[in-house]
Amino acid sequence: MARYKITTPELVDFSYQPAGLVTRSLACLIDQLLLILLMMGAGFVVGSAAGIIGENVANAILYLLIFLIQFGYFVFFELRSNGQSPGKQVFKLRVVSASGGRLTPDDILIRNVLRAVDFLPFGYFLGLVAAFMDPYHRRFGDLAAGTLVIQDSRQRSITFQDPQRKRANS
């Protein structure tokens, strides 16, 4: 797959390795399973309270919670975890700005509002078609927001130095 190359205004060149369709799909599958668990939990809690608050009110609350969970899940995690949902974390994927700048809350909101379009007519069909046609596997939400899902190659190793050991070696 072709690398996504960027030249900054300072004429510094760098590139990203776009995430492949398979890893994006697997990350999405993990996220969808977590979403199902969250919605089931909401259904259980609201269903338990239906006898107290009434069935119609319980249904309204449940529909509102399902909407908030569906929309808020990706927005929350991508804002909080520097462009990574739990599924993306498992496969070391990250959402970045395609311009090379910082990923903004507006970028995250735009790409996730358009998730509904990508989902049409069912199961992310249009999003998958768009990702298949784009050389960098961007879905409609990514194209509209100017974002890109990349294979995150940053190293996250933390070294711990024991102060006692340091003194012994001195």
Side-chain angles (χ1 to χ4, degrees):
M1 176 187 328
R3 291 188 66 85
Y4 186 86
K5 295 179 180 14
I6 296 173
T7 301
T8 67
E10 294 81 14
L11 301 177
V12 175
D13 293 328
F14 66 96
S15 65
Y16 291 124
Q17 179 62 50
L21 285 176
V22 173
T23 53
R24 281 191 77 168
S25 297
L26 291 171
C28 184
L29 180 64
I30 288 173
D31 288 326
Q32 293 303 317
L33 291 172
L34 290 172
L35 278 166
I36 288 169
L37 289 173
L38 287 170
M39 290 185 289
M40 287 173 57
F44 177 76
V45 169
V46 173
S48 298
I52 299 168
I53 61 176
E55 191 174 325
N56 290 338
V57 174
N59 284 337
I61 291 171
L62 182 59
Y63 289 132
L64 178 63
L65 283 175
I66 286 173
F67 169 77
L68 291 173
I69 290 168
Q70 282 279 339
F71 180 72
Y73 175 88
F74 290 100
V75 172
F76 173 79
F77 283 111
E78 288 175 7
L79 280 171
R80 189 106 168 119
S81 300
N82 198 20
Q84 291 184 302
S85 64
K88 287 182 186 78
Q89 288 176 1
V90 168
F91 289 96
K92 295 181 176 52
L93 305 179
R94 179 177 307 282
V95 179
V96 297
S97 172
S99 67
R102 265 183 112 59
L103 187 64
T104 66
D106 289 346
D107 296 337
I108 292 170
L109 286 173
I110 291 168
R111 78 183 300 274
N112 285 297
V113 164
L114 288 175
R115 191 175 294 278
V117 172
D118 289 321
F119 197 79
L120 293 174
F122 58 87
Y124 284 103
F125 179 76
L126 283 181
L128 192 59
V129 169
F132 185 74
M133 302 295 284
D134 184 77
Y136 305 112
H137 303 303
R138 294 174 291 187
R139 59 181 182 79
F140 289 117
D142 291 316
L143 293 168
T147 58
L148 177 70
V149 178
I150 62 163
Q151 191 70 47
D152 192 8
S153 60
R154 294 188 288 180
Q155 295 295 322
R156 289 187 183 80
S157 62
I158 298 173
T159 57
F160 174 75
Q161 278 197 321
D162 184 4
Q164 299 297 331
R165 186 173 179 190
K166 190 174 183 179
R167 280 188 215 128
N169 293 336
S170 298

